[in-house]
Amino acid sequence: MNFAKIKEAEAEHYMPVFARDNLCIERGEGNCLFDINGNKYVDFVAGIATNILGYDHPVYTETVCKQIHKLMHVSNHYYTEIQSRYIKKLADASGFKRIFLANSGAEANECAFKLIRRFFRNRGEEKTILTSEGAFHGRTLATLTATGNRGQHDVYSPLPSGFKSFKYNDFEDFKSKLTPDVGAVFLETIQGECGVRPFSNDFMINAYALCKSRGILFAVDEVQTGMGRTGKLFSFEQYGIRPDIITLAKAIAAGIPMGACLATEEVGTAFKLGDHGSTFGGNALACAAADAVLDILLGGLLDSSAEVGEYLGNKLAHLSKYNFIVDVRGMGLMRGIQLSDKIPAAVFESKLRERGYLVNVAGNNTIRLLPPLTITVEEIDGLVAAIDEICAATCVM
Ligand SMILES: *Cc1c(COP(=O)(O)O)cnc(C)c1O
């Protein structure tokens, strides 16, 4: 199929939900993608924080291929060694004793919501979940309800009840919403879709302390920020807090669909037999991939990528000298460059693409950088030089 035919088929047959870029990807190698015309791009999107090992990582690819030959999928009615090996490793690495394996971020979050409800139902209580404005937790009805997007709420109402929200990073508002009906707080440490918006250290520490003092569960959506993205295995470590529940997906199996809900022993044993489940969740293929990812991370990639993430932060700092760059923020290999409304981020993105760099546009007119954790200093230098070149040309205009 040529590109025109590819686009035509998509336009005719895919449900019209994606505003796709004018780019058709054929293959990946290292930290680069190639389009169908053979053009090469250094990838600072990584399938939205998913392909943390880049493309065709030798150990990962070999592990996945071997597992496909051996066993891909059996029902969760049976045990598999690979699933047990993996959850033991993940529990050891995370300090969370109880794990449920799903297939996506939304599903991991659904599991967390059900777990929270079950936890309180076991005590004869019914509690509300408090989420942040600007949050993104997924696209199922419940995760959409927890997501701070009013427009989508109107489209898909009636929504499940039992959720309410507080103003992002506003501790006074948070405190006022933490009424006795609230059983759990559910948030991202850095709001990804909203334009890489981190909660302040003060907010996080105070919110966490207040929840702990009142017996309110603290849950962190680490779907985007987890698995080394911010320079630690999980972003909550950056704040020195210890949630009761976290959720993972995106990078957890580096491109094979997988999600996970992790909880403390006390919370994670609230479910009763038959309360929750999944056909595909934690199947042999996904567990083998995730097991390889965790080995590679703990075997050195986590540490080396933390250094590269610092480097990226330092290299981007000078961009604030351009008057149309409003803010540069983020942690590790998760960075946002917010542009003034006069320069649409989409235009900036396409100029970078012309220069061989793929970046992503997130909320608040922000260029979002989420490269593979294997990204090199040279590749970062190249991106920053391209950004500077575009900025210099923009100043003249
Ligand atoms: C992407 C994302 C989700 C949803 O994950 P899916 O796999 O698309 O369902 C949930 N929370 C956060 C923070 C995300 O970035």
Side-chain angles (χ1 to χ4, degrees):
M1 274 174 132
N2 65 26
F3 195 12
K5 292 273 183 235
I6 291 167
K7 284 198 277 194
E8 193 183 292
E10 199 274 353
E12 278 181 25
H13 300 298
Y14 210 91
M15 294 191 187
V17 294
F18 290 118
R20 298 185 203 255
D21 290 343
N22 192 33
L23 182 64
C24 185
I25 305 292
E26 188 163 78
R27 66 186 185 90
E29 194 184 305
N31 299 315
C32 295
L33 287 170
F34 295 83
D35 69 15
I36 48 169
N37 299 318
N39 297 310
K40 180 178 172 177
Y41 305 89
V42 186
D43 183 16
F44 281 80
V45 182
I48 317 287
T50 297
N51 306 318
I52 52 171
L53 305 179
Y55 302 93
D56 202 12
H57 183 284
V59 176
Y60 175 82
T61 302
E62 199 198 327
T63 307
V64 168
C65 289
K66 269 193 184 154
Q67 190 63 47
I68 290 173
H69 285 295
K70 190 176 176 190
L71 180 71
M72 275 180 72
H73 177 82
V74 288
S75 163
N76 273 314
H77 292 145
Y78 308 113
Y79 294 95
T80 60
E81 194 214 344
I82 184 66
Q83 191 184 81
S84 284
R85 184 171 0 129
Y86 175 61
I87 56 172
K88 200 165 161 16
K89 207 176 279 179
L90 184 58
D92 285 347
S94 67
F96 291 97
K97 264 198 81 182
R98 292 285 164 174
I99 296 166
F100 180 85
L101 297 174
N103 310 288
S104 66
E107 267 184 77
N109 288 339
E110 286 276 348
C111 174
F113 299 158
K114 286 175 74 176
L115 183 64
I116 290 163
R117 288 193 176 183
R118 175 43 113 172
F119 178 81
F120 287 104
R121 200 60 47 88
N122 290 347
R123 308 171 166 192
E125 293 174 294
E126 189 175 309
K127 293 284 192 178
T128 303
I129 296 175
L130 183 62
T131 64
S132 170
E133 287 178 6
F136 183 83
H137 296 302
R139 294 178 179 278
T140 62
L141 278 176
T143 55
L144 178 65
T145 308
T147 288
N149 184 334
R150 292 262 164 265
Q152 292 277 292
H153 286 183
D154 291 344
V155 173
Y156 293 111
S157 60
L159 299 172
S161 57
F163 293 88
K164 66 179 192 181
S165 64
F166 67 93
K167 286 203 188 83
Y168 157 77
N169 218 28
D170 182 336
F171 187 64
E172 287 312 308
D173 187 63
F174 178 81
K175 239 171 28 184
S176 77
K177 300 284 167 57
L178 214 63
T179 44
D181 59 302
V182 174
V185 167
F186 198 94
L187 45 68
E188 302 146 271
T189 53
I190 306 174
Q191 297 184 333
E193 301 307 304
C194 199
V196 192
R197 245 181 13 171
F199 278 94
S200 70
N201 218 40
D202 275 359
F203 177 91
M204 215 55 157
I205 287 167
N206 291 330
Y208 177 74
L210 191 59
C211 287
K212 286 292 106 181
S213 74
R214 295 193 190 168
I216 293 168
L217 299 180
F218 203 85
V220 176
D221 178 339
E222 294 266 10
V223 168
Q224 192 164 144
T225 51
M227 306 316 291
R229 176 58 50 194
T230 69
K232 302 266 192 203
L233 193 54
F234 307 111
S235 68
F236 70 76
E237 300 170 60
Q238 304 278 8
Y239 296 86
I241 62 171
R242 186 80 220 160
D244 303 285
I245 301 171
I246 66 167
T247 54
L248 301 170
K250 290 197 163 84
I252 190 172
I256 303 253
M258 189 184 217
C261 177
L262 283 60
T264 59
E265 178 70 6
E266 188 199 4
V267 177
T269 49
F271 280 144
K272 309 272 183 265
L273 279 182
D275 265 355
H276 195 52
S278 169
T279 298
F280 289 121
N283 80 8
L285 177 63
C287 284
D291 190 62
V293 168
L294 200 50
D295 280 347
I296 293 165
L297 273 174
L298 300 179
L301 181 60
L302 182 57
D303 292 338
S304 63
S305 68
E307 278 173 31
V308 178
E310 280 281 314
Y311 182 83
L312 176 62
N314 293 334
K315 284 290 279 193
L316 294 176
H318 77 283
L319 292 178
S320 44
K321 77 180 179 208
Y322 298 108
N323 59 9
F324 53 87
I325 292 190
V326 177
D327 195 15
V328 183
R329 50 178 181 254
M331 280 182 210
L333 289 169
M334 178 173 188
R335 303 279 173 176
I337 305 163
Q338 186 177 351
L339 306 177
S340 117
D341 293 340
K342 293 190 195 78
I343 316 277
V347 171
F348 208 92
E349 178 207 11
S350 63
K351 288 186 177 174
L352 278 169
R353 194 185 326 139
E354 286 163 17
R355 288 165 172 79
Y357 293 92
L358 296 183
V359 300
N360 167 254
V361 175
N364 288 316
N365 207 34
T366 300
I367 297 283
R368 177 170 51 169
L369 308 178
L370 302 162
L373 302 190
T374 48
I375 199 81
T376 64
V377 162
E378 291 74 26
E379 287 161 334
I380 288 172
D381 287 347
L383 172 79
V384 176
I387 293 175
D388 269 321
E389 196 182 294
I390 296 164
C391 285
T394 306
C395 283
V396 177
M397 277 164 30

